[in-house]
Amino acid sequence: MGNVFPLLCILLMIVVLTKPAASILCNKTTDNVENSLKQHLFCNGYDPKIRPAKSEFDAINITVLPYVYDFEVHLHRSLMELVMNYRVMWQDSSLQWNASDWSNITLLRPNYDEIWFPEFEHINSDYEGDPSRSCSNPHCVLSRTGKLICAPICKTSAKCLPDFSRWPYTTVTCHMWFANRDKELVDEINFVLNKKYIATRGNTETARWCMKSFTSNQTTLDIPGATKRTVYLWTFGLQQTPHIELVILYFPSFVLVVLNMFICWLHSTASEKTKTTLMSLVCHAMLLIDMIIISANIPSIILFIMESMVLTMVLFVVTLILRWMHDLHTTPPRIVIRWTRSLTGNRMMEWFVQTEYLSLGHKPTAETNDTELKNWPAIVKLADRCVFVLYIFIYLWLLGIRVPLRHDKYNSNDPDALCSN
């Protein structure tokens, strides 16, 4: 991606190759110089079924330049359908000519079935291959040096493995194998993979899926019931761009966090606190039901909602305990009194404990003194504030580790990518 000039060259080559080629008529006399040249090259013992090598033991190198042009993701089938444009190049010394002898003709456009073509195939995860003969528009061009370039357009499919761990920022890894189809000439035909390209088409802001990576590794494929083969493993990295999911998922989660913070700020003795806590638990449960997703790993955002629900349940239990402590008529233990005094020994904590402007049905109290510190209500008030501070830190920590804000795979400094809806 990002190599604009090579891609323009590829597109220009495709345009050149798409020009229709005239058929070769060996037994017909012609005055056309180009047709005469074709008869000279292809009608004097040339056999398109024979591999163009110096001997039957010599290997021939086939340079392949794959170009991903379009794709479509079927996540429910764990499948990606894609369109591949190829540039296949090899040398045939028997098809050379001197341009000065043929009116300075340097290029010919033979038909696909008139020349020897290196057969390849795409193998999916079920070990089923799509042969290159099924590709469309296999236009070819032949230069005076005997170099052949063909540009078939192939439709194939790849098996995909989705990763929902950072859902809705889902990433998908798809793979397939590229291999020589001629089983009898495995060592004599050597496919050399050149550069790989991904089209830079589509708007990443509105697209559903974007292909961010295309890698290739030579490996050995062990097909059950067959001999091992040296193939190229092609791996495609895709990213889902969430749009609606962010609205229907992140906004309710944010509202629940704000609601829990408000509930936590209320005094435990306020009757509204227990009611709103139960309401928050119901909202958490409803949100989790709407977010059910089948995956081997639980997405981190769902873990965040589940942990927030657990925190809400803990808050409800703590509220009941503090309400029970508030109504006690006994003197608190000395260790509790000392602990309370140590926490309220500065003006900041005194101000924080006395702040009640968000509490319903309560008025600001006077300054904390030794008499108050010996009462359970003052201790309960301090405990409420400590729980509030603790909840803030817990939620900030959970937001940082659980809520994904971007993809962590296949990120690229190049904003362009091949995107599809």
Side-chain angles (χ1 to χ4, degrees), residues 154-368:
C154 308
K155 292 183 180 180
T156 184
S157 61
K159 195 68 175 179
C160 299
L161 180 64
D163 182 6
F164 295 103
S165 60
R166 292 177 62 84
W167 180 74
Y169 290 93
T170 305
T171 56
V172 175
T173 302
C174 305
H175 72 271
M176 68 177 187
W177 294 279
F178 177 90
N180 176 15
R181 185 170 176 79
D182 196 330
K183 309 296 189 302
E184 297 180 357
L185 299 174
V186 175
D187 297 326
E188 288 77 7
I189 300 177
N190 181 31
F191 284 92
V192 180
L193 204 64
N194 204 343
K195 297 180 180 179
K196 307 170 295 298
Y197 294 101
I198 302 177
T200 56
R201 176 174 55 81
N203 189 349
T204 57
E205 299 298 328
T206 59
R208 180 73 173 175
W209 293 95
C210 289
M211 184 180 292
K212 287 288 188 176
S213 70
F214 174 20
T215 60
S216 176
N217 294 305
Q218 195 169 24
T219 183
T220 301
L221 179 61
D222 189 6
I223 301 178
T227 58
K228 294 183 179 181
R229 302 173 58 186
T230 300
V231 298
Y232 284 99
L233 173 62
W234 286 358
T235 305
F236 307 90
L238 287 77
Q239 293 182 170
Q240 182 181 13
T241 305
H243 301 292
I244 300 177
E245 292 87 349
L246 293 180
V247 178
I248 64 177
L249 177 62
Y250 278 51
F251 180 72
S253 303
F254 174 75
V255 171
L256 286 179
V257 171
V258 174
L259 176 62
N260 275 13
M261 289 294 96
F262 173 75
I263 294 172
C264 197
W265 180 259
L266 295 175
H267 276 297
S268 296
T269 54
S271 60
E272 295 85 358
K273 188 167 187 176
T274 54
K275 297 177 183 178
T276 51
T277 304
L278 292 174
M279 182 180 68
S280 178
L281 284 172
V282 173
C283 293
H284 277 81
M286 294 177 63
L287 185 59
L288 282 175
I289 292 174
D290 293 336
M291 291 167 50
I292 292 178
I293 183 170
I294 300 176
S295 173
N297 299 319
I298 300 177
S300 58
I301 184 63
I302 296 182
L303 288 175
F304 172 78
I305 300 298
M306 295 173 64
E307 291 163 347
S308 178
M309 189 174 182
V310 172
L311 284 176
T312 307
M313 295 175 64
V314 172
L315 179 62
F316 181 76
V317 174
V318 170
T319 300
L320 294 180
I321 295 175
L322 292 180
R323 290 185 69 172
W324 170 76
M325 292 174 57
H326 184 275
D327 296 332
L328 292 177
H329 298 289
T330 58
T331 302
R334 289 186 178 181
I335 187 173
V336 176
I337 295 176
R338 287 198 299 268
W339 176 75
T340 306
R341 284 176 177 173
S342 63
L343 288 178
T344 57
N346 57 75
R347 288 189 173 274
M348 182 65 69
M349 282 300 301
E350 287 184 11
W351 174 84
F352 186 59
V353 172
Q354 294 171 18
T355 304
E356 305 178 46
Y357 57 89
L358 284 180
S359 296
L360 303 178
H362 289 271
K363 297 179 180 180
T365 59
E367 280 192 22
T368 305

Side-chain angles (χ1 to χ4, degrees), residues 18 135-139 151-153:
T18 53
C135 301
S136 61
N137 300 325
H139 300 288
I153 301 175

Side-chain angles (χ1 to χ4, degrees), residues 67-72 81-84 199 201 211 418-420:
Y67 174 71
V68 183
Y69 181 74
D70 198 6
F71 72 96
E72 184 176 358
E81 296 179 350
L82 67 160
V83 178
M84 302 287 298
R201 176 174 55 81
M211 184 180 292
L418 177 60
C419 298
S420 173

Side-chain angles (χ1 to χ4, degrees), residues 46-87:
Y46 180 83
D47 189 351
K49 297 180 180 179
I50 299 177
R51 181 175 57 93
K54 294 180 179 180
S55 69
E56 59 179 343
F57 302 105
D58 290 336
I60 180 173
N61 291 329
I62 312 297
T63 302
V64 180
L65 193 154
Y67 174 71
V68 183
Y69 181 74
D70 198 6
F71 72 96
E72 184 176 358
V73 179
H74 304 280
L75 196 58
H76 62 286
R77 296 164 52 194
S78 298
L79 187 71
M80 177 183 65
E81 296 179 350
L82 67 160
V83 178
M84 302 287 298
N85 289 6
Y86 285 98
R87 187 180 178 187

